[in-house]
Amino acid sequence: MLAELQQIVQCVNAAANLHEALEIIVHRVRAAMDTDVCSVYVRDPEAPQYVLMATEGLNPSSVGKVRMAAGEGIVGWVATRQEPVNLANAAEHPSYRYFPETGEQQFAGFLAVPLVHFRHSMGVLVVQQETQRVFAKDEVAFLVTIGAQLAATLSYAALGSAIPRREPGPSGPIGLIQGLPGAPGVTIGNIVLPSPLAELDAVADRAPDDAAQEEASFRGAVRETQQELRASADRMDGHLSDETRSIFDVYILILGQEELVEDVVARIRGGNWAPGALRDTIAEHAKVFEEADDSYLRARAEDIRAIGRRVLLRLLSDVTAVKQYPSKAVLLGDEVSLARVADVPPGQLKGIVCLRGSVVSHTAVLARGLGIPAVMGLGRRNVTALDGHPIIVDGYRGRVFIDPLPAVIQEYRRLVQHEGQLSAKLASLRDLEATTTDHVDVGLGLNVGLLTDIDVAANLSVDEVGLYRSEFPFMTRETFPMEEEQYVIYRKVLQAFAPKPVTMRTLDIGGDKPLSYFPTTEENPFLGWRGIRLTLDRPDIFLPQLRAMLRANIGLNNLRILFPMIGQVDEVKAALQAVDRARRELGEEGYECPAPSIGAMVEVPSTLFSIPALSRYVDFFSIGTNDLTQYLLAVDRNSPNVARLYNHLDPAVIRALHGVIRDARRCGKPVSVCGEMAADPGSAILLLGMGLGTFSMSASAVLRIKWVIRSFSSQRAKQVLYRAMRMESAETVRNMLDDELGRAGLGELVLA
Ligand code: PEP
Ligand code: MG
């Protein structure tokens, strides 16, 4: 039976759509269990009701028509109780309800299992038999096991899309899909899928009518593709940093390779038309890289094929047609590349949705830099038919609505309008102090990563850069940036904010921030080789970075260096030695570098109990609530499976933060929070109550947090904090904070 089970699950996973998956289930399960009937009922979230969606054995015309509310009929009863039922004669069950259109009166034996996903009933799987009999234990176990596997699979399909509406719309709403927040904001727009790229492998050989003409059109296609790439890069100018632009340069460079062009030309002269000659040349060049041991080099093979497809598109007849973008474009894809973002005309890109990734993905950071909402990690699903479909992107809650119902659109229109009004209102706070009503001054800092963030920051009055994530220049490249390249970037950042302090965090890769050109394989990367652990082991990476930072600081003297993932005092000591060594060596080379302030991130739980010891070595602390929450609660910050458990308002997290801030203050060390918690208006009340010195966050949150600070007294915030610390769950804390915001006249922040 196990083999049968695996086969069924595999077939369902390979199904093209939900309808096909359900047909496979009923067909295969009925055959495997040798029953007279197998049916699947799926929950219609709009109703909510359980709808017969596929059957073998019942009257097929009843599909889509038989509906049962929760608790209604045996199916509704199973869905509510979330337990299987095994009946010798269904008609004798008190919940039995007869639907004449199904023709099920002749069936007696009835076995049903609920399809439960994350505590929610997604549907019910039923088998029936003409004879009166109770199903055997192993049959029940089989159906339960199938049900458990299928519940997860079904949850990935957009369930609502397949359910016939009683008043069908043009295509039927797909409804809500829950993902992970990537960048804040809400938008209503239309989906743009990646352009279908010409497939090189589908090109057939053909003798050219005129070889010279063929060669000319190939060279023309190469030129046009280069121009197209350059235009894309230029369009992004001012929106993107130099380092991200370099990706386009790599593509342009590959296309400019004499060898690649000449190989195609030689094949044309040898008797093939341009597309055929291109196909063979690209295959040959890509193969060289494909066979490399190094994963970085293997990845270059995909670059070459991607460029080959672009040139082929140009060569084929209708290629000059320029893609038309809707006025409110929402890019949707597995991952949304920088090149796709750059292709959208300025002002028309309104949202980004990725099936993979999380808030720390490169794309999410890009979206935050551009100030547009993003939702990440929707999970594997078939989206090929969705080009142009209306979509709502809710970057706050990490959810999207595809083909939303009019009532949902109306609700979100209200939210978008509200956002606009709120921004206008908040703009008046720009030049006001971040001071509580009882005159306590609070520091506001910015979190930045890409150079583009600097432009946004220019319009904000903040006191400092609380966190410069130095891994981003590393993540947007194809190889490790050299000291000189890093120097140029760091200098720009320090100069842009001088004389305000800039806290540069040393490289924090590993865990969820891998570098394509520096792959590390670990069973448990979050507990593995990341942050300071990695850089201390790799002086060849660490020292050039420290040198670049120290040199960039000459004459400006606004650099602070922050070490990520500190877990032990020894790590701080070793990192300090590295800074000393870099300064000494630079001194010997004639660079007189001022000594920067040094800080440690508080994000590994061991540091919660080591603040006095660490204080002997560092000048300040910065609390990374994103990682601290994940480590304290043992909840992966990027896993959709446990997303509901990840919450920085968990009373345990609040108590931990209270202790750290208290200890740091006692040791006379300034402390800031640079995790997402500092950008959450409700949490800001608690942090105020703890006496936090500096809140550091992305640009979009600054004015909201300033509004909170200006609306509370430190005394009131303290009372709220003490109440929160006595609570038992994150949910009760959140409700209390929402009430507090409302009472202080800041209810609009709760809505947003
Ligand atoms: C954090 O962990 O809270 C933090 C600020 O760092 P990152 O999100 O980059 O890990
Ligand atoms: Mg962190």
Side-chain angles (χ1 to χ4, degrees):
M1 276 242 166
L2 182 63
E4 187 68 43
L5 198 142
Q6 279 170 341
Q7 266 185 15
I8 295 177
V9 173
Q10 269 168 14
C11 289
V12 169
N13 285 342
N17 52 43
L18 177 65
H19 179 71
E20 196 180 303
L22 297 178
E23 291 296 328
I24 293 169
I25 294 168
V26 294
H27 177 71
R28 300 289 297 250
V29 171
R30 183 192 187 203
M33 294 183 68
D34 196 20
T35 56
D36 297 320
V37 177
C38 179
S39 316
V40 187
Y41 294 78
V42 173
R43 182 171 187 272
D44 177 354
E46 305 285 338
Q49 284 174 333
Y50 294 86
V51 187
L52 177 64
M53 290 297 296
T55 183
E56 258 199 30
L58 297 184
N59 187 350
S61 66
S62 59
V63 168
K65 297 195 184 112
V66 173
R67 294 174 159 263
M68 272 169 268
E72 188 189 359
I74 307 179
V75 165
W77 188 75
V78 169
T80 308
R81 281 170 39 111
Q82 300 194 332
E83 278 174 38
V85 66
N86 186 1
L87 305 168
N89 186 1
E92 288 171 6
H93 192 275
S95 294
Y96 179 73
R97 206 184 135 197
Y98 171 52
F99 289 89
E101 59 269 47
T102 60
E104 68 179 329
Q105 68 277 24
Q106 77 260 35
F107 302 112
F110 188 102
L111 171 63
V113 300
L115 305 175
V116 184
H117 188 66
F118 287 128
R119 305 182 191 185
H120 294 295
S121 290
M122 315 286 297
V124 179
L125 179 61
V126 182
V127 290
Q128 289 171 271
Q129 202 80 357
E130 262 187 47
T131 47
Q132 284 206 12
R133 69 143 172 144
V134 173
F135 285 83
K137 260 197 202 139
D138 59 342
E139 289 176 307
V140 178
F142 179 79
L143 204 66
V144 166
T145 314
I146 290 262
Q149 302 246 12
L150 296 181
T153 308
L154 290 184
S155 78
Y156 284 119
L159 285 178
S161 64
I163 296 173
R165 327 294 331 156
R166 270 164 297 183
E167 289 165 28
S171 59
I174 286 183
L176 169 83
I177 307 178
Q178 185 68 48
L180 300 166
V186 283
T187 211
I188 305 171
N190 293 87
I191 295 175
V192 178
L193 292 176
S195 314
L197 284 174
E199 273 314 318
L200 283 160
D201 289 342
V203 171
D205 286 332
R206 191 192 293 173
D209 299 333
D210 176 350
Q213 176 58 40
E214 205 67 16
E215 184 182 326
S217 65
F218 167 67
R219 288 188 189 277
V222 169
R223 257 194 320 276
E224 283 165 16
T225 308
Q226 281 176 317
Q227 278 161 7
E228 178 195 63
L229 286 165
R230 263 188 217 110
S232 290
D234 289 347
R235 215 179 277 156
M236 288 301 284
D237 217 15
H239 288 284
L240 278 187
S241 54
D242 295 350
E243 70 264 31
T244 43
R245 269 193 65 136
S246 65
I247 296 169
F248 292 98
D249 295 338
V250 171
Y251 279 14
I252 294 167
L253 210 78
I254 294 177
L255 257 179
Q257 277 171 10
E258 206 43 32
E259 201 188 326
L260 193 118
V261 174
E262 289 314 317
D263 279 0
V264 177
V265 169
R267 285 191 164 92
I268 293 173
R269 291 181 188 159
N272 208 346
W273 68 322
L278 178 71
R279 177 203 61 206
D280 291 345
T281 308
I282 292 291
E284 188 183 271
H285 283 244
K287 193 157 182 272
V288 176
F289 287 102
E290 258 161 22
E291 285 167 358
D293 285 337
D294 183 296
S295 62
Y296 167 73
L297 288 178
R298 279 201 303 278
R300 300 288 69 74
E302 194 34 56
D303 284 346
I304 291 180
R305 275 193 293 267
I307 288 163
R309 286 195 293 267
R310 275 181 184 254
V311 177
L312 183 63
L313 259 177
R314 293 258 153 207
L315 278 174
L316 299 177
S317 55
D318 61 338
V319 293
T320 39
V322 178
K323 186 167 174 78
Q324 291 298 315
Y325 284 91
S327 59
K328 292 180 177 169
V330 174
L331 295 178
L332 170 64
D334 225 24
E335 284 163 344
V336 171
S337 69
L338 181 61
R340 279 189 64 200
V341 171
D343 275 343
V344 185
Q348 282 176 242
L349 180 61
K350 299 294 178 198
I352 294 180
V353 178
C354 296
L355 302 188
R356 293 208 248 156
S358 71
V359 70
V360 291
S361 301
H362 177 190
T363 315
V365 175
L366 184 66
R368 288 202 291 275
L370 295 172
I372 55 171
V375 171
M376 313 294 291
L378 290 189
R380 189 170 45 86
R381 59 187 68 239
N382 187 352
V383 293
T384 46
L386 296 180
D387 201 37
H389 282 235
I391 185 170
I392 293 173
V393 183
D394 181 342
Y396 293 114
R397 293 167 189 81
R399 48 166 74 158
V400 301
F401 295 81
I402 296 173
D403 292 336
L405 292 167
V408 181
I409 298 182
Q410 208 176 348
E411 180 61 19
Y412 271 89
R413 276 217 182 102
R414 211 176 53 72
L415 264 177
V416 171
Q417 198 184 9
H418 162 77
E419 281 245 298
Q421 287 163 352
L422 183 60
S423 303
K425 184 164 164 181
L426 290 173
S428 64
L429 299 178
R430 212 194 83 121
D431 297 318
L432 301 180
E433 297 300 313
T435 309
T436 61
T437 55
D438 52 350
H439 313 295
V440 176
D441 288 332
V442 178
L444 287 183
L446 265 190
N447 291 356
V448 295
L450 296 167
L451 288 178
T452 37
D453 296 339
I454 296 176
D455 304 338
V456 181
N459 294 319
L460 284 165
S461 53
V462 287
D463 306 297
E464 60 181 77
V465 170
L467 175 66
Y468 171 74
R469 287 182 163 101
S470 74
E471 50 277 9
F472 289 124
F474 285 72
M475 287 164 83
T476 51
R477 290 178 169 263
E478 313 263 306
T479 54
F480 274 111
M482 297 292 99
E483 178 184 324
E484 199 52 36
E485 294 170 88
Q486 291 186 53
Y487 163 79
V488 172
I489 297 167
Y490 302 155
R491 181 82 188 168
K492 271 191 195 159
V493 179
L494 291 176
Q495 244 165 357
F497 291 97
K500 291 176 184 169
V502 174
T503 304
M504 292 198 158
R505 185 172 71 182
T506 59
L507 194 58
D508 185 17
I509 51 167
D512 53 350
K513 293 177 245 177
L515 291 182
S516 59
Y517 50 89
F518 187 65
T520 51
T521 331
E522 290 181 290
E523 286 267 311
N524 200 338
F526 278 110
L527 300 185
W529 206 37
R530 53 170 302 201
I532 197 74
R533 303 169 182 182
L534 189 151
T535 45
L536 283 179
D537 288 349
R538 292 296 303 258
D540 54 323
I541 298 170
F542 198 30
L543 283 170
Q545 177 170 49
L546 292 173
R547 285 172 55 96
M549 286 181 178
L550 291 167
R551 274 178 57 209
N553 189 33
I554 295 175
L556 296 172
N557 206 6
N558 60 338
L559 168 72
R560 291 172 175 171
I561 295 181
L562 177 64
F563 299 126
M565 288 295 292
I566 291 291
Q568 300 170 4
V569 175
D570 278 352
E571 286 166 342
V572 174
K573 286 160 95 174
L576 283 170
Q577 276 169 10
V579 175
D580 284 346
R581 178 176 155 192
R583 271 188 74 213
R584 200 176 51 246
E585 286 176 4
L586 284 168
E588 284 161 13
E589 292 165 35
Y591 296 107
E592 277 316 312
C593 306
S597 291
I598 301 284
M601 291 277 296
V602 176
E603 52 186 346
V604 176
S606 60
T607 49
L608 298 177
F609 311 101
S610 320
I611 297 296
L614 290 165
S615 290
R616 285 185 220 124
Y617 301 95
V618 299
D619 304 304
F620 65 95
F621 292 102
S622 185
I623 309 175
T625 49
N626 306 342
D627 275 317
L628 187 62
T629 304
Q630 98 162 330
Y631 291 127
L632 216 47
L633 303 180
V635 176
D636 181 340
R637 70 195 242 187
N638 295 319
S639 165
N641 294 347
V642 286
R644 77 202 149 76
L645 299 175
Y646 181 93
N647 198 326
H648 54 232
L649 288 182
D650 190 293
V653 177
I654 298 170
R655 289 178 210 125
L657 291 172
H658 177 248
V660 170
I661 294 172
R662 180 202 56 211
D663 290 355
R665 283 162 62 105
R666 279 184 191 158
C667 296
K669 300 292 174 182
V671 56
S672 67
V673 167
C674 62
E676 288 304 310
M677 192 171 179
D680 169 15
S683 304
I685 309 174
L686 302 178
L687 297 173
L688 260 186
M690 295 177 202
L692 180 72
T694 302
F695 293 62
S696 193
M697 66 209 81
S698 54
S700 56
V702 169
L703 294 178
R704 286 162 199 245
I705 299 303
K706 196 188 269 190
W707 196 23
V708 176
I709 293 168
R710 292 179 56 84
S711 307
F712 280 84
S713 71
S714 58
Q715 284 316 313
R716 176 82 198 134
K718 232 176 239 157
Q719 287 163 2
V720 176
L721 168 69
Y722 290 136
R723 260 168 57 210
M725 288 208 296
R726 286 196 301 272
M727 289 182 162
E728 290 180 357
S729 74
E731 197 185 347
T732 38
V733 175
R734 174 63 75 195
N735 290 340
M736 191 253 299
L737 294 176
D738 285 353
D739 280 354
E740 277 300 319
L741 288 170
R743 227 171 289 151
L746 277 64
E748 286 168 87
L749 293 180
V750 180
L751 254 182

